[in-house]
Amino acid sequence: MADTTLTPPHETLLDRLSVGLTPPIAAQPVTLVIFGGAGDLAHRKLLPALYNLYVDGLMPARFAVVGVGRKDLSDDQYREFAKDGTKQFSRRPLDEDKWLSFAEGLFFVNATLQDAEAFASLGSRLDTIEHERGVPGNRIYYLAIPPAMFVPTVQNLARAKFVAPPDRGPFARLIVEKPIGHDLTSALQIDDAIAKVFGESQIYRIDHYLGKETVQNILVLRFGNSIFEPLFNQKYIDHVQITVAEDEGVGTRAGYYEQAGALRDMVQNHLLQLVSLVAMEPPRSLGAEVIRDEKLEVIRSLRPIADEAVDRQVVRSQYTRGFHMGRPVPGYREEDGVDPRSRAETFVALELLIDNWRWAGVPFFLRTGKRMPKRASEISIQLKETPPVLFNADPAARLDANVLSIRIQPDEGFSLAISSKVPGPRVRIYPVKMDFHYGSTFGNVSPEAYERLLLDVMAGDPTLFMRRDGVEAAWQWVTPILQRWALDTDSPIPGYAAGEWGPPEADRLVTSSGRRWRNP
Amino acid sequence: MAKSVAVRFSRASDPEGIDDELSSLWTEAGRDSPVTRALMANLVVVRERAAPDEVDLAEPLEDVPIEEVARRHPSRVIVLHHGGRPDLCGPVAARISVLLFGAPPARFGVEQIAVRSTCADVSLPSIVRRLARGDLPTSIWWTGDFSEAAPVQALATVGRQFVYDSRRWRDVRRGMIALASIVSQPDGPDLADVNWRRLTPLRQTVAQALGQSIGRASPTHVRAHVHYRPGEGALGWLLAGWLASRLEWPPSGEWPVAVQETRRGDEILSLTLEADPDGSLVATMTEHRILVGYARDVAPLTIAVPHESDADAIAAELAGLQHDRCLRETIAVLGRRFESR
């Protein structure tokens, strides 16, 4: 008799045996080659993150970290450099025993990235290190270098035959830091050049915001709670605000910032990523490509802002002399390395609309800037007001609208503002909040974003990284704004005093529709 | 008075790292038993000092009931000691505290940040913006005498509510003029005057009593006499200003009201309203009651005055968060009158 049991044709042995098991985050033996290994990013973020992964037992059993740069450092000097960064910037104090063990895997190679010959000697040094450390040739190349160096470095990697095809032999992966390009055209050129060497599945474009616990929690908040998701649409949401504020000035990054400005530095990547997470449709699974597809749909649904609309919907500004925590600080044009006639914006505020069924007519107000009163990133989803009857009947004393605030940093967590009766014989209403703090609920030990992201690259999980089409779609949306600004070389750029939340023009962007900014 | 703070955790803090250090202080505070971090508002307490460098941030303030207010209206309390010479702008110093109230398991705590600044007035909002939590209403509580030093406008208007006590003013005229300049700001803060709150029962009683007597008289035929006890000048003028704003007396013209300082027994304040030929009423307020007598043959009206401590009153104003249109209009009309004379 014929067997009539139906077995799904695609089910494999792995499918059967993995039922009920959570796949481990399996970081494979690897050599992490950091181009720009003696730079600021490595010092402040990457090396402390690797140390913490090591202490948490999440580094592979066999690993090597090889810094590459122009500085003439010995391995021991590089270990001291790494130790100094870890002492200063690690989320946990340095443990001397663990450090010694971790530091055995740190090395430094002096090389000039434009020099193809240097890659040959780098290759032989890597072979030696891998042999000694028992690493089977898996490599991750981290481009912690200026964007102008991306393409020459990748081309030299190809010439030196450092990159195996994705489906053969030990793996080779590439980590690229933003910004990728300075507009759509340059982003396409960089992506095309990299694509000649690395397949898309081998490229990990970092936006460190996506590694933050609170950002990852946006999806859990939306799709893991039945209370919120039904509200996330134009029926119930009045508007959304996203503020990413920095309290520091341009500091030592004037050279970069003069070329970039806040729109390229923050909006094109971090803020649009946050918009896409807040606004995306429910994905059918948590697969990396599925989530990235849904995020891409949001970016592609953004209504373009071009020509005169730029003047109406986008405000750029520069900080002027002011105060930081009560202390006088210079204006942007007075900073070291900044052109006194600079037109680079240190602040951007804009209103965007998403042309899809869910968000039709709901404005998203975005703002980001330097030298604002505090370092804080927050998403505020403001619900529509209650009707003007009962408790909201007095036009001179309107109730505060309900607001769901997601604090990305600092004091990560979220709160829901609601109206409540003040105890007593009269009806008096006060805005109270239901509040969740990561620090007090789970303990104040959330991993740093770079820890999670480096671990994901080692494990081969691209979910929290930007895909090429996503980056290019973001550039496509931003580029008309840049073009409009590039044409205007005369009109004065509004200023805001350091220590304030932006210029009056940014306030008007919001107050013209009867709303107001919520300051974190 | 019994101490309301059960336990206090406190330490000096780097002004740049206050939030991180507060988190660790909360962890310390909750180590032995659970503590609820209570947080309804930002309460910025402004203390103007001749020599802020000499202020010991670790010392609790004796003359202002900050902890009692914080217990009643749990807030992030930011105590800002400010003063000195702007040309000698010294470093900002800070101290953080967690104050626990009540006994376990109903123990709750509030956080307090004391900051010392000697920099220019205009720099103060940058400190408040940095330290205040944006998702909570911010109230500025100005503890000083406006007639000696006018409030720093940029700071007074940085919050949603501006709380003060006009009873502290030595010179009512100067105090009203200073306050009027804040009121005149577009989108200025809601005002809460503790002294105005003390006047509220009298105003309510007078309004109620008018129904029994001269309530139908034309406002243009009213004359008034206000007598206030020595030290209650602000209360007397608030009463006169209330009448002026409600009855639309022109600020620069002659007002049909006489305001006089008088010592009469336990009387704090009295108001005589005359409306020929309809009659008159006299309302007198003491610490405990308000008595209204009528010229006609109507039984007097007596209303008890609710007893509130300063902390009760301030906490109630903070919880009210109300836009008091009458107070604003009273201040505006008094400010214009005092400026014109």
Side-chain angles (χ1 to χ4, degrees):
Chain A
M1 202 168 104
D3 182 1
T4 56
T5 307
L6 290 175
T7 304
H10 58 275
E11 201 172 31
T12 65
L13 182 62
L14 176 64
D15 293 331
R16 290 285 183 92
L17 297 184
S18 59
V19 169
L21 297 175
T22 306
I25 299 176
Q28 302 176 49
V30 70
T31 299
L32 177 60
V33 182
I34 305 174
F35 293 105
D40 195 48
L41 181 67
H43 190 234
R44 296 167 66 97
K45 297 290 183 186
L46 304 182
L47 293 164
L50 290 164
Y51 169 73
N52 279 308
L53 286 173
Y54 181 79
V55 173
D56 287 334
L58 293 169
M59 285 294 279
R62 285 167 287 150
F63 74 92
V65 177
V66 181
V68 180
R70 283 180 299 183
K71 287 184 183 161
D72 191 12
L73 298 178
S74 67
D75 290 342
D76 283 342
Q77 286 172 317
Y78 189 58
R79 287 165 189 156
E80 277 306 308
F81 168 82
K83 188 175 185 179
D84 179 69
T86 304
K87 273 184 176 169
Q88 284 190 60
F89 303 112
S90 165
R91 66 181 162 88
R92 58 158 65 96
L94 186 138
D95 177 307
E96 201 63 43
D97 289 341
K98 292 194 170 90
W99 174 260
L100 286 174
S101 167
F102 169 71
E104 285 175 9
L106 301 183
F107 305 90
F108 191 77
V109 176
N110 170 250
T112 305
L113 301 183
Q114 295 95 327
D115 179 5
E117 298 294 315
F119 277 70
S121 57
L122 171 64
S124 59
R125 181 80 201 280
L126 289 175
D127 289 342
T128 306
I129 291 169
E130 286 170 343
H131 180 71
E132 288 174 1
R133 300 281 298 169
V135 178
N138 295 327
R139 287 185 193 164
I140 295 169
Y141 302 105
Y142 198 126
L143 302 187
I145 50 179
M149 297 297 299
F150 288 175
V151 172
T153 304
V154 168
Q155 287 169 342
N156 277 334
L157 286 172
R159 282 191 203 106
K161 303 199 183 312
F162 280 12
V163 185
D167 51 351
R168 249 178 284 158
F171 69 69
R173 294 172 187 155
L174 181 75
I175 305 178
V176 189
E177 275 282 339
K178 64 100 180 166
I180 298 163
H182 54 87
D183 58 13
L184 179 60
T185 307
S186 59
L188 287 168
Q189 286 167 353
I190 291 172
D191 280 335
D192 285 345
I194 292 176
K196 286 179 181 161
V197 181
F198 289 90
E200 181 62 24
S201 66
Q202 295 173 286
I203 303 169
Y204 294 75
R205 297 175 187 86
I206 275 198
D207 181 335
H208 72 266
Y209 258 61
L210 299 179
K212 291 179 181 292
E213 287 289 341
T214 338
V215 173
Q216 295 168 47
N217 197 35
I218 294 172
L219 294 189
V220 179
L221 193 71
R222 288 191 57 195
F223 305 125
N225 295 285
S226 58
I227 187 173
F228 296 123
E229 184 47 29
L231 304 177
F232 268 57
N233 57 61
Q234 39 83 13
K235 272 189 193 170
Y236 301 104
I237 304 295
D238 179 76
H239 72 280
V240 176
Q241 292 186 17
I242 302 179
T243 296
V244 176
E246 297 176 287
D247 59 353
E248 293 180 339
V250 72
T252 57
R253 298 176 70 216
Y256 160 71
Y257 211 79
E258 279 284 272
Q259 302 301 315
L263 191 72
R264 290 185 178 96
D265 187 44
M266 301 296 287
V267 176
Q268 184 271 341
N269 36 74
H270 300 326
L271 274 88
L272 290 185
Q273 287 295 318
L274 295 179
V275 169
S276 66
L277 287 167
V278 169
M280 67 188 268
E281 294 297 319
R284 64 181 161 78
S285 79
L286 295 176
E289 298 312 317
V290 179
I291 289 177
R292 300 203 290 188
D293 285 346
E294 294 297 348
K295 285 167 57 185
L296 178 63
E297 272 305 302
V298 175
I299 303 295
R300 285 181 172 162
S301 303
L302 299 180
R303 184 180 297 176
I305 302 179
D307 305 325
E308 290 83 11
V310 174
D311 307 336
R312 288 193 305 273
Q313 288 176 245
V314 188
V315 173
R316 60 173 163 165
S317 182
Q318 279 178 342
Y319 64 83
T320 57
R321 256 182 233 188
F323 297 92
H324 169 65
M325 259 305 268
R327 303 281 302 158
V329 291
Y332 177 67
R333 291 181 179 185
E334 299 161 320
E335 300 269 20
D336 286 344
V338 173
D339 182 346
R341 292 164 301 165
S342 170
R343 295 182 67 78
E345 76 284 357
T346 65
F347 173 97
V348 176
L350 60 86
E351 176 185 2
L352 66 78
L353 290 164
I354 301 174
D355 284 332
N356 65 18
W357 187 277
R358 180 186 286 265
W359 294 108
V362 178
F364 280 60
F365 295 104
L366 277 51
R367 71 176 164 171
T368 181
K370 290 192 169 296
R371 276 280 181 241
M372 293 175 83
K374 61 172 86 167
R375 173 175 166 266
S377 301
E378 184 174 288
I379 302 168
S380 296
I381 297 133
Q382 180 158 327
L383 280 83
K384 292 187 171 171
E385 288 189 2
T386 54
V389 293
L390 301 177
F391 305 115
N392 202 22
D394 181 357
R398 286 269 185 251
L399 294 179
D400 289 6
N402 298 129
V403 180
L404 174 65
S405 296
I406 302 168
R407 296 185 300 274
I408 294 164
Q409 65 182 17
D411 191 19
E412 293 85 345
F414 63 86
S415 65
L416 182 62
I418 56 176
S419 294
S420 178
K421 182 179 174 299
V422 178
R426 292 192 180 146
V427 177
R428 287 187 301 158
I429 295 175
Y430 193 86
V432 299
K433 58 183 189 139
M434 302 167 73
D435 212 348
F436 158 73
H437 299 259
Y438 265 87
S440 55
T441 303
F442 297 122
N444 198 14
V445 287
S446 291
E448 289 284 334
Y450 275 97
E451 293 174 39
R452 170 67 194 265
L453 295 171
L454 286 167
L455 182 63
D456 281 358
V457 181
M458 288 189 276
D461 181 351
T463 310
L464 300 180
F465 296 83
M466 296 182 294
R467 208 168 55 191
R468 174 176 180 163
D469 49 7
V471 174
E472 290 172 1
W475 274 123
Q476 188 161 18
W477 188 80
V478 160
T479 297
I481 301 173
L482 292 167
Q483 288 170 339
R484 177 76 177 179
W485 286 352
L487 291 174
D488 174 11
T489 54
D490 296 329
S491 61
I493 295 182
Y496 62 101
E500 294 190 351
W501 284 109
E505 288 81 355
D507 291 339
R508 283 198 286 275
L509 188 71
V510 175
T511 56
S512 62
S513 58
R515 302 173 172 104
R516 64 183 177 85
W517 286 109
R518 285 177 51 85
N519 296 326
Chain B
M1 190 172 67
K3 287 180 72 173
S4 60
V5 177
V7 187
R8 179 193 306 270
F9 296 84
S10 185
R11 66 168 78 136
S13 171
D14 170 10
E16 296 292 335
I18 281 174
D19 275 302
D20 288 343
E21 294 196 36
L22 262 177
S23 295
S24 93
L25 202 59
W26 274 108
T27 306
E28 189 182 326
R31 193 159 288 150
D32 295 332
S33 62
V35 172
T36 301
R37 184 182 191 178
L39 208 54
M40 291 177 71
N42 301 293
L43 176 59
V44 181
V45 185
V46 183
R47 308 277 292 158
E48 296 203 301
R49 305 283 196 167
D53 283 343
E54 294 168 11
V55 173
D56 181 356
L57 296 179
E59 279 292 309
L61 299 173
E62 298 293 340
D63 59 329
V64 189
I66 292 176
E67 291 169 4
E68 284 299 311
V69 171
R71 183 171 70 81
R72 290 163 172 78
H73 189 74
S75 306
R76 167 176 277 201
V77 181
I78 301 164
V79 185
L80 191 51
H81 300 274
H82 168 252
R85 291 171 51 189
D87 53 325
L88 295 175
C89 182
V92 172
R95 187 172 189 89
I96 54 170
S97 306
V98 169
L99 315 178
L100 302 187
F101 300 97
R107 176 157 285 180
F108 71 95
V110 302
E111 57 204 34
Q112 180 173 310
I113 304 167
V115 177
R116 192 169 57 204
S117 164
T118 57
C119 297
D121 291 349
V122 72
S123 73
L124 296 177
S126 74
I127 298 175
V128 174
R129 290 190 196 106
R130 170 64 175 258
L131 298 179
R133 294 184 57 109
D135 54 353
L136 299 170
T138 296
S139 299
I140 308 289
W141 176 12
W142 209 278
T143 61
D145 177 352
F146 296 4
S147 65
E148 288 186 350
V152 178
Q153 194 137 323
L155 184 56
T157 54
V158 82
R160 173 166 170 174
Q161 187 184 38
F162 183 68
V163 184
Y164 63 95
D165 187 351
S166 58
R167 197 179 184 181
R168 291 172 168 263
W169 301 350
R170 289 186 192 165
D171 183 334
V172 176
R173 179 179 171 278
R174 290 180 64 179
M176 286 297 176
I177 291 172
L179 187 57
S181 70
I182 293 171
V183 170
S184 66
Q185 294 296 308
D187 299 326
D190 294 339
L191 297 182
D193 180 356
V194 176
N195 213 20
W196 173 257
R197 183 179 179 83
R198 290 172 67 220
L199 186 61
T200 300
L202 181 76
R203 294 193 297 124
Q204 287 170 332
T205 308
V206 168
Q208 184 182 342
L210 285 173
Q212 297 290 318
S213 58
I214 54 173
R216 291 182 179 277
S218 165
T220 55
H221 294 151
V222 169
R223 288 188 314 280
H225 299 271
V226 173
H227 293 272
Y228 61 85
R229 188 167 74 181
E232 298 286 6
L235 200 64
W237 277 105
L238 282 171
L239 180 56
W242 173 59
L243 293 172
S245 69
R246 294 293 89 209
L247 302 179
E248 298 181 350
W249 296 341
S252 55
E254 283 300 315
W255 284 2
V257 62
V259 182
Q260 290 175 305
E261 182 179 293
T262 314
R263 187 182 295 279
R264 286 199 298 218
D266 60 352
E267 239 182 64
I268 297 172
L269 187 67
S270 79
L271 168 68
T272 303
L273 279 180
E274 297 168 345
D276 289 337
D278 301 77
S280 64
L281 67 78
V282 180
T284 57
M285 184 170 84
T286 68
E287 293 289 351
H288 306 291
R289 56 149 181 77
I290 294 161
L291 175 68
V292 181
Y294 305 95
R296 289 181 177 176
D297 187 20
V298 179
L301 172 69
T302 306
I303 303 284
V305 173
H307 180 73
E308 280 185 328
S309 66
D310 280 355
D312 289 329
I314 291 167
E317 289 294 332
L318 295 174
L321 265 192
Q322 284 171 341
H323 179 76
D324 191 335
R325 199 182 60 160
C326 281
L327 175 57
R328 290 186 82 86
E329 290 173 358
T330 298
I331 300 298
V333 76
L334 285 172
R336 287 202 298 273
R337 180 169 184 82
F338 285 132
E339 268 183 345
S340 70
R341 293 177 172 242

